[in-house]
Amino acid sequence: MNDQNLIIFLIGVSAVGKTTIGESLSETLKLPFFDADDYHPRSNKQKMASGIPLTDDDRQGWLLRINAEEEIKKNACIIACSALKKSYRKILQRGVESQVKWIFMEGDFKLLKKRLTDRKDHFMPISLLYSQFETLEKPEDAFRVSVDQSPQQIHDLIISELHKSDIGLVGLGVMGKSLSRNIASKGFKLSFFNRHVPEKEENVAVNFQKEFQELANAKAFDELETFVKSLQRPRKIFLMINAGKAIDAVIEQLLPFLEPGDVIMDGGNSHFLDTERRFKNLNEQGIHLLGVGVSGGEEGALKGPAIMPGGSVEGYAVVGKILESIAAKDLTGKACCAYVGKGGSGHFVKMVHNGIEYSEMQLLAEVYQILKQGLNLQHDVITDILKSWQKTEADSYLLGITIDILQRKENNKYLLDEVLDKAGNKGTGNWTTVAASQLGVPVSVLTSALYARYISAFRELRAEASKVYISKDNSPVEIDPETIRAGYQLARLVNHHQGIHLLNEASKAYDWDLNLSEIARIWTNGCIIRSKLMEKLKTYLKRNDQLLLQDEVIKLANNSKDNLKELVQKAIQKDVPVSCLSESLNYLNAYSQKESGANLIQAQRDYFGAHLYQRKNDPFGNWYHTDWDPNNNL
Ligand code: 6PG
């Protein structure tokens, strides 16, 4: 948070000393001091003086008046205000969220009652102290200071707190560095830490700080305890380290220096079950864990990623405003970041994002291969075709980067032709497939994309097989690029449908209560799968969580199905593998068939394993067994 526009709210019930401390801080920090009591209308003051507690309605106008005060917003300042409820604090900080620092002054009832009795110059009768204690919702996101010490001690504690950083980041890899610069550029005071590994990782944090102007006021560490001590409480620590054991190890190292109320955010691609486990363990110790899906690669992390935080809702109350400040913004200016749900849901959502990402990439790879091998087109022609798609519903971030890649030359040759055709992966596509299988959700397009990567990795085997399985048809296929575009677009719809279906089923199974439309909204900007289609999904998913049963989608699918058929048919005719395109078509057929072939599967299961089957004409769903073996029925 930038000191130049810091708004310090001293909050708490009557008699905690808000005014005394506010005035002394004002003197030390040379900041104007405002007393919220001065903004009460006379009617409120009269009510309080006669011992009648204020209602939410009475307070509403008062809070809005403070929030609207231009003098407060102009520069940094200090405000004393009871701000007892979360909803009140929400009004007070509306529009200036990133500038606000809450300092919660707390004391026990007996002490405050005595102070109030001794106080002669105030309109607040003791009876109201009871009601204030009842109304009070202790803030999660405040620095808490106990008032059973001298004003000087309280003042000094607050001053030393204000010198500390708003947030700390651990791990200065590519993503950690970009996020650090993003956080610092939004005016937050930042501490960052990178471990010291002799001869491998030495002075990483200090050197990184020297590189960028926006980090001038940040604090660099390679010693964990001093790093943690440099953070304001409750501490907010963003882990940007490799998923897996490293996360557990760093949490272990951090724990001795943390205290209840502190928040750890895991910004890596952790497996959601690991996050569930860590969430439970840390929760027992009062530490809030958020599994934070971050998408957008290096550039997104720097300029604004899509952020999918899940886990501790109390933790989100503490860090939400920072995460929302650094996130990308949607078309309405709202942050592409919102609390997703409990436990490991944030990382699950990010995992499914990646599953959809795998298929989006594979579909483009299949289109590229058809245009290149099937139609024998040159790079510049392919580029022109894809560029024309950018003016249509098929436009997406991944289409854009594909066009850039196609045009890239090195030594007068297209660089793409030099790239080895073995696709790598870091595991999230695999996890998506496994999770979907465990939940019984058909994500066959996503799985096909994963398997396409796997088969690409067996390059030597493919080379050997290509010698014996020679394509007989060498003539270029005839297919209109518009047919390809329409077929491709339908396959994308099926891909998104499957990913969303998985989210929906997981939400039910794990009791996450995911808001699918809101997740699509988060994915409209900053992330890798942002696209024109995603803008539509955010609306469609408000109406129906089965994307393929959404009116507009049904119309589109019916209009484009012949295009997808033709595309798949021509690709197969030319021996071009199109596993995702063809699986989209197959899935659509399976999804929309009233009578499937599964009656035979059930009969076979019952035949060899007596697994029983149900009958179509039995409305009660009873289970039957038949001895199907003709030899036994002779
Ligand atoms: C993102 C990406 C990001 C990363 C994946 C890719 O949303 O920013 O998905 O998380 O690129 O790690 O994973 P693979 O290496 O498995 O393709």
Side-chain angles (χ1 to χ4, degrees):
M1 203 174 309
N2 194 329
D3 285 352
Q4 265 134 47
N5 53 15
L6 182 66
I7 303 175
I8 303 167
F9 272 99
L10 296 168
I11 63 174
V13 297
S14 261
V16 286
K18 300 188 288 287
T19 310
T20 313
I21 299 299
E23 282 169 349
S24 71
L25 287 175
S26 155
E27 215 178 297
T28 312
L29 298 169
K30 307 276 173 282
L31 295 179
F33 172 69
F34 297 88
D35 193 335
D37 281 346
D38 297 339
Y39 290 78
H40 271 302
R42 195 175 311 147
S43 54
N44 279 5
K45 284 193 179 174
Q46 279 166 353
K47 244 180 144 174
M48 288 190 275
S50 18
I52 307 169
L54 297 180
T55 63
D56 282 359
D57 281 348
D58 295 329
R59 287 185 175 114
Q60 170 96 2
W62 167 61
L63 296 166
L64 287 170
R65 207 170 145 204
I66 301 168
N67 179 254
E69 174 60 88
E70 283 306 322
E71 285 303 308
I72 290 178
K73 289 183 191 163
K74 227 162 51 188
N75 295 304
C77 68
I78 301 161
I79 309 170
C81 179
S82 51
L84 299 175
K85 280 190 181 179
K86 193 173 174 185
S87 56
Y88 302 169
R89 296 189 285 274
K90 219 169 166 185
I91 299 178
L92 287 169
Q93 67 172 356
R94 195 172 290 159
V96 285
E97 286 85 353
S98 62
Q99 293 165 239
V100 169
K101 170 78 184 166
W102 302 106
I103 298 185
F104 176 46
M105 301 178 65
E106 53 185 342
D108 76 18
F109 184 78
K110 256 200 208 148
L111 172 77
L112 300 183
K113 187 177 161 195
K114 175 158 185 334
R115 280 194 189 174
L116 215 51
T117 321
D118 297 345
R119 214 155 112 175
K120 302 278 172 266
D121 59 337
H122 206 265
F123 53 78
M124 183 71 86
I126 289 166
S127 61
L128 286 192
L129 191 60
Y130 288 103
S131 105
Q132 285 203 327
F133 263 90
E134 263 170 28
T135 311
L136 178 66
E137 293 167 5
K138 292 188 183 181
E140 298 280 353
D141 50 349
F143 171 58
R144 296 162 81 133
V145 58
S146 169
V147 299
D148 61 353
Q149 44 194 331
S150 73
Q152 188 60 46
Q153 282 170 316
I154 297 175
H155 163 278
D156 294 350
L157 268 175
I158 296 175
I159 292 291
S160 107
E161 175 73 8
L162 290 173
H163 282 123
K164 294 184 176 176
S165 299
D166 300 306
I167 182 168
L169 186 140
V170 174
L172 294 173
V174 175
M175 291 292 281
K177 281 184 173 170
S178 296
L179 265 190
S180 295
R181 292 178 57 201
N182 182 351
I183 294 169
S185 71
K186 297 293 176 314
F188 293 104
K189 287 194 283 184
L190 171 72
S191 291
F192 43 74
F193 165 91
N194 197 84
R195 64 185 178 173
H196 175 90
V197 183
E199 285 171 34
K200 278 192 188 149
E201 292 177 53
E202 290 185 356
N203 300 319
V204 175
V206 174
N207 291 337
F208 168 54
Q209 180 176 23
K210 285 185 201 147
E211 263 181 81
F212 299 98
Q213 182 54 33
E214 64 267 38
L215 301 175
N217 296 323
K219 295 176 188 143
F221 297 88
D222 62 4
E223 208 277 6
L224 210 53
E225 184 173 1
T226 45
F227 160 74
V228 176
K229 282 193 173 145
S230 77
L231 304 175
Q232 292 188 12
R233 281 172 289 170
R235 300 177 185 92
K236 308 159 200 73
I237 301 179
F238 216 144
L239 305 185
M240 292 306 297
I241 48 185
N242 285 340
K245 290 205 173 81
I247 303 280
D248 289 310
V250 171
I251 291 178
E252 244 352 88
Q253 290 162 22
L254 280 169
L255 273 177
F257 313 123
L258 300 183
E259 56 192 89
D262 290 347
V263 185
I264 298 179
M265 292 161 274
D266 172 7
N269 278 332
S270 286
H271 192 283
F272 75 101
L273 292 177
D274 283 337
T275 305
E276 292 269 340
R277 168 179 57 79
R278 292 176 188 133
F279 171 78
K280 283 194 191 109
N281 290 346
L282 288 170
N283 197 32
E284 280 164 18
Q285 303 177 61
I287 309 290
H288 303 302
L289 177 76
L290 285 162
V292 184
V294 179
S295 175
E298 186 180 359
E299 200 192 348
L302 181 64
K303 296 186 180 157
I307 307 184
M308 296 142 251
S312 163
V313 71
E314 297 89 346
Y316 191 73
V318 177
V319 298
K321 85 181 162 197
I322 299 184
L323 294 182
E324 288 168 26
S325 304
I326 62 167
K329 304 292 174 283
D330 71 11
L331 282 179
T332 70
K334 204 171 161 195
C336 289
C337 168
Y339 177 74
V340 163
K342 306 186 282 194
S345 59
H347 276 143
F348 191 93
V349 170
K350 174 62 186 9
M351 179 191 79
V352 175
H353 165 284
N354 283 22
I356 297 174
E357 170 188 302
Y358 274 45
S359 311
E360 287 278 276
M361 293 166 76
Q362 177 61 26
L363 285 168
L364 280 164
E366 289 175 14
V367 163
Y368 156 68
Q369 217 180 345
I370 292 167
L371 292 170
K372 199 177 169 195
Q373 287 175 16
L375 277 75
N376 277 341
L377 298 180
Q378 298 305 310
H379 271 219
D380 46 351
V381 184
I382 300 176
T383 303
D384 287 344
I385 292 173
L386 296 189
K387 272 189 178 167
S388 73
W389 294 7
Q390 287 186 299
K391 297 184 195 97
T392 72
E393 295 292 308
D395 192 22
S396 69
Y397 165 75
L398 283 168
L399 178 68
I401 67 164
T402 302
I403 291 168
D404 290 345
I405 291 168
L406 278 162
Q407 295 177 98
R408 186 56 175 257
K409 282 190 175 170
E410 199 181 78
N411 304 328
N412 255 342
K413 281 200 247 153
Y414 285 111
L415 182 55
L416 184 57
D417 290 335
E418 308 296 312
V419 176
L420 190 72
D421 56 337
K422 280 167 90 165
N425 79 92
K426 292 201 197 73
T428 46
N430 168 354
W431 295 347
T432 312
T433 305
V434 172
S437 293
Q438 280 165 345
L439 289 165
V441 187
V443 292
S444 48
V445 181
L446 281 66
T447 307
S448 300
L450 176 72
Y451 284 8
R453 286 196 190 189
Y454 287 171
I455 197 157
S456 79
F458 289 94
R459 191 164 196 271
E460 293 70 25
L461 216 57
R462 287 192 284 115
E464 204 181 319
S466 71
K467 291 181 200 144
V468 288
Y469 294 103
I470 298 159
S471 180
K472 293 193 186 88
D473 185 357
N474 284 325
S475 58
V477 287
E478 294 279 316
I479 182 165
D480 179 8
E482 181 50 25
T483 302
I484 303 180
R485 190 202 60 79
Y488 160 75
Q489 187 63 3
L490 175 53
R492 294 183 63 217
L493 270 171
V494 176
N495 171 33
H496 284 77
H497 161 91
Q498 291 189 346
I500 299 291
H501 189 192
L502 174 55
L503 285 182
N504 201 17
E505 293 304 317
S507 175
K508 289 186 230 159
Y510 299 114
D511 195 21
W512 283 336
D513 199 19
L514 298 181
N515 180 338
L516 301 175
S517 158
E518 180 65 354
I519 291 169
R521 188 194 67 75
I522 294 174
W523 288 347
T524 57
N525 201 5
C527 69
I528 304 296
I529 59 171
R530 61 188 188 260
S531 67
K532 269 198 186 140
L533 174 60
M534 201 59 83
E535 288 290 343
K536 293 260 157 107
L537 296 201
K538 126 188 132 184
T539 316
Y540 293 166
L541 289 167
K542 278 190 190 148
R543 303 184 203 138
N544 199 329
D545 50 41
Q546 278 293 304
L547 208 55
L548 286 174
L549 292 180
Q550 225 295 319
D551 288 347
E552 284 95 330
V553 178
I554 295 171
K555 213 160 125 196
L556 208 143
N558 278 326
N559 285 341
S560 313
K561 198 171 168 196
D562 284 345
N563 297 116
L564 184 54
K565 276 187 197 169
E566 187 183 337
L567 175 57
V568 170
Q569 203 182 353
K570 299 262 167 78
I572 287 174
Q573 184 196 321
K574 279 296 294 178
D575 299 316
V576 176
V578 283
S579 48
C580 273
L581 286 167
S582 63
E583 183 45 41
S584 312
L585 189 57
N586 272 323
Y587 176 85
L588 195 56
N589 285 340
Y591 182 78
S592 57
Q593 63 177 341
K594 187 154 180 273
E595 297 291 333
S596 77
N599 50 346
L600 179 59
I601 305 286
Q602 285 300 79
Q604 289 166 336
R605 291 176 69 239
D606 190 49
Y607 189 127
F608 60 69
H611 293 298
L612 310 184
Y613 62 95
Q614 291 169 298
R615 287 177 187 252
K616 288 176 185 161
N617 59 5
D618 180 347
F620 304 107
N622 290 313
W623 291 90
Y624 298 84
H625 172 62
T626 298
D627 187 351
W628 299 85
D629 189 339
N631 295 324
N632 295 342
N633 294 324
L634 288 176

